[in-house]
Amino acid sequence: MEEKINKNSNLKKELKHTNLKNTDKRKLQAGEKEKSSEHCPYAKKCGGCDYQGFSYKKQLEKKQSYMRKLMEPFGKINPIVGMDNPYHYRHKVQAAFSCTKRGHIVAGVYEKHSHDVVDVEQCQIEDEQADAIIREIKNMMRSFRIRAYDEDTGYGLLRHVLVRKGYHSGQIMVVLVLVSPILPSKNNFVKALRKKFPEISTVVINVNDRKTSMVLGERNITIYGKGFIEDELCGCTFRISPTSFYQVNPQQTERLYKKAISCAKLTGKETVIDAYCGTGTIGLIASSKAKKVIGVELNRDAVKDAITNAKRNNIHNVTFYNEDAGKFMVEMARNGQKADVVIMDPPRTGSDEAFLSSVVQLAPEKVVYVSCGPDTLARDLKYLTKHGYRMKECSPYDMFPFTRHVEAVCLLLKER
Ligand code: SAH
């Protein structure tokens, strides 16, 4: 009890020095009080938030100490960068739709270890407007005679709804994942939905007729707007399509990318490789500070988006390649090509030895490793530090409050 009171007064002191709105400060303090009395009402069934019940300060401490244990053998660990307000940060929200035995439509997440849907009306980490749109779609289904898809019988139409919102642009994309490409009265449906939420700038039907746990199918049909939204990140504009990878926490992403680019200390003379580049975000943001940037990415659609993003931002010193990053780098090294900086942002599974050994052969002065999987980061750092690199610093970022995930930027320098 005493611990709780102390922490709450510490939080009060901490909040005093932030530039948060008073309502946000009150929310944060309420969140702190909630920890032992009122948990998220869905916590037990949903299981999405591993750190449910811990104050935000405690969550950051846990992540910091985990990173310290894992990374300290390699070098300096900076304090974790947390959020000013750790609630409602997810700008991509996904809800599975289903129907109970009594005929009630439910929308939310799958219950832990099952395919029963937990009916989530409001989630503390999801964007509130996105949740409101999903609630509205649930309400509209009866009058539009749209049935939720039933996995067992195969009847019904609507499987999932995905909402993506641009943090700076405010543009909203609604993706209706259907078993068939036909949505009855689609124009009236869009009209009714936009009447409540005029911020919706595009509505897409995604057709997923397979028996699969994957949310999205391959075919997209735009029924309103352009079929994508745009948002700004660190001064560049990016296209976000229904299937393209785009970080879900825009505020922390800006901080993470700024750190990744600033720690490379670019002067305008460097050749930079943006490996695992996705839609080109990091490389395009870095391009104004480099001589040239080479982006490599395995996903063909992501590369198409990256090329569009380069044009959209009038950037001419970036080239994108649709290849396996490891193979591409091995080829570069074999051809005697050089790079000054390699920025790498692999998936949670980390990199592989083909890629890491080609980094060693290319011998850039700096490697900036952006990681969303601390364990695989440690594994890959073991390789790099055995082969002529040393870690100068590691900066953890909290991109996913209330979950156990930690993102980090590590700067490695070539030993002389
Ligand atoms: N840097 C981007 C994307 C990071 S996610 C951003 O911040 O938005 C990791 C990316 O690595 C994904 O886009 C995935 O398609 C890509 N990827 C996975 N394996 C790869 C490989 N072997 N070679 C190249 N890219 C790969």
Side-chain angles (χ1 to χ4, degrees):
M1 185 69 190
E2 198 171 76
E3 199 197 357
K4 200 172 98 189
I5 293 167
N6 283 342
K7 272 187 191 150
N8 211 13
S9 63
N10 280 345
L11 185 78
K12 245 186 190 165
K13 271 186 228 153
E14 281 169 28
L15 292 174
K16 210 173 155 187
H17 302 292
T18 66
N19 52 3
L20 285 179
K21 285 188 223 144
N22 281 336
T23 47
D24 285 339
K25 285 184 188 176
R26 275 198 295 276
K27 261 194 204 167
L28 272 174
Q29 281 172 39
E32 181 82 9
K33 279 184 208 139
E34 268 167 23
K35 80 186 176 70
S36 54
S37 50
E38 257 181 75
H39 291 308
C40 158
Y42 312 105
K44 270 205 180 124
K45 284 187 164 178
C46 160
C49 292
D50 325 271
Y51 287 172
Q52 193 58 248
F54 289 107
S55 69
Y56 190 49
K57 189 163 170 268
K58 184 76 195 166
Q59 293 176 34
L60 292 176
E61 280 167 14
K62 280 168 86 74
K63 291 185 184 187
Q64 180 78 30
S65 86
Y66 172 59
M67 290 302 281
R68 187 162 290 138
K69 258 191 217 141
L70 206 60
M71 294 295 150
E72 222 152 46
F74 301 108
K76 185 184 155 210
I77 318 292
N78 291 327
I80 187 165
V81 178
M83 295 192 74
D84 298 334
N85 176 356
Y87 298 99
H88 305 293
Y89 59 84
R90 281 193 70 96
H91 279 58
K92 172 187 170 187
V93 175
Q94 222 157 259
F97 276 68
S98 180
C99 192
T100 63
K101 287 200 178 80
R102 291 185 168 176
H104 292 299
I105 297 166
V106 288
V109 290
Y110 290 117
E111 202 170 315
K112 243 189 264 179
H113 314 302
S114 107
H115 256 214
D116 290 340
V117 173
V118 185
D119 197 20
V120 178
E121 289 270 308
Q122 247 181 326
C123 164
Q124 62 178 354
I125 63 170
E126 291 172 355
D127 179 75
E128 287 171 295
Q129 202 178 12
D131 280 352
I133 291 172
I134 291 166
R135 280 199 305 274
E136 182 59 25
I137 292 175
K138 200 165 74 171
N139 290 337
M140 284 166 58
M141 282 170 71
R142 208 165 287 281
S143 51
F144 279 86
R145 294 169 191 266
I146 298 170
R147 284 174 60 176
Y149 176 69
D150 183 325
E151 278 191 344
D152 300 325
T153 62
Y155 285 117
L157 180 64
L158 181 64
R159 296 180 81 148
H160 302 270
V161 171
L162 165 69
V163 180
R164 295 192 93 146
K165 180 168 153 184
Y167 176 64
H168 290 289
S169 68
Q171 294 175 13
I172 295 177
M173 169 166 62
V174 174
V175 183
L176 306 166
V177 185
L178 307 181
V179 186
S180 105
I182 294 155
L183 176 69
S185 318
K186 65 176 192 303
N187 293 340
N188 287 339
F189 184 87
V190 169
K191 214 168 159 189
L193 189 60
R194 284 200 71 252
K195 198 169 171 204
K196 283 258 163 108
F197 299 96
E199 304 85 353
I200 294 174
S201 44
T202 190
V203 181
V204 178
I205 290 176
N206 174 274
V207 188
N208 186 354
D209 54 7
R210 288 171 304 177
K211 271 209 177 286
T212 168
S213 56
M214 299 280 284
V215 173
L216 294 174
E218 277 168 16
R219 190 169 159 209
N220 290 313
I221 306 159
T222 303
I223 57 171
Y224 178 78
K226 292 179 175 166
F228 60 85
I229 55 167
E230 287 188 330
D231 200 22
E232 291 96 52
L233 199 60
C234 304
C236 290
T237 302
F238 293 99
R239 172 186 287 210
I240 309 170
S241 316
T243 41
S244 57
F245 175 88
Y246 196 78
Q247 294 278 5
V248 301
N249 182 337
Q251 285 162 282
Q252 290 297 85
T253 301
E254 287 207 309
R255 291 173 163 170
L256 180 85
Y257 287 179
K258 273 185 187 156
K259 177 71 186 177
I261 294 165
S262 71
C263 74
K265 294 212 169 74
L266 299 173
T267 62
K269 294 186 185 139
E270 295 85 356
T271 296
V272 177
I273 294 178
D274 177 10
Y276 309 90
C277 69
T279 54
T281 35
I282 301 177
L284 290 169
I285 296 165
S287 66
S288 61
K289 298 188 174 71
K291 185 172 153 212
K292 80 175 187 199
V293 177
I294 300 167
V296 194
E297 163 63 46
L298 197 56
N299 180 313
R300 198 161 42 105
D301 292 337
V303 174
K304 275 190 197 158
D305 280 348
I307 293 168
T308 309
N309 286 332
K311 283 189 192 140
R312 173 74 177 79
N313 291 284
N314 246 327
I315 294 173
H316 303 288
N317 60 340
V318 184
T319 319
F320 291 104
Y321 294 90
N322 180 202
E323 274 184 59
D324 174 277
K327 283 187 189 149
F328 182 87
M329 296 275 286
V330 169
E331 203 53 35
M332 262 189 94
R334 194 177 290 151
N335 296 339
Q337 284 168 283
K338 291 263 167 266
D340 303 293
V341 179
V342 171
I343 301 176
M344 54 187 287
D345 183 11
R348 205 156 271 157
T349 46
S351 190
D352 54 28
E353 217 160 298
F355 182 90
L356 296 171
S357 67
S358 66
V359 170
V360 174
Q361 281 177 58
L362 271 182
E365 285 300 314
K366 291 168 194 163
V367 176
V368 180
Y369 195 138
V370 181
S371 157
C372 56
D375 293 337
T376 51
L377 169 67
R379 181 198 67 201
D380 294 347
L381 287 193
K382 213 166 171 182
Y383 184 96
L384 290 171
T385 51
K386 263 194 190 151
H387 293 84
Y389 284 87
R390 79 184 154 82
M391 189 181 90
K392 173 107 190 304
E393 57 170 341
C394 169
S395 310
Y397 282 78
D398 190 23
M399 302 280 279
F400 305 101
F402 293 94
T403 78
R404 70 195 142 79
H405 299 296
V406 198
E407 200 97 7
V409 174
C410 290
L411 172 65
L412 292 117
L413 302 177
K414 189 154 72 94
E415 286 181 310
R416 286 166 197 283

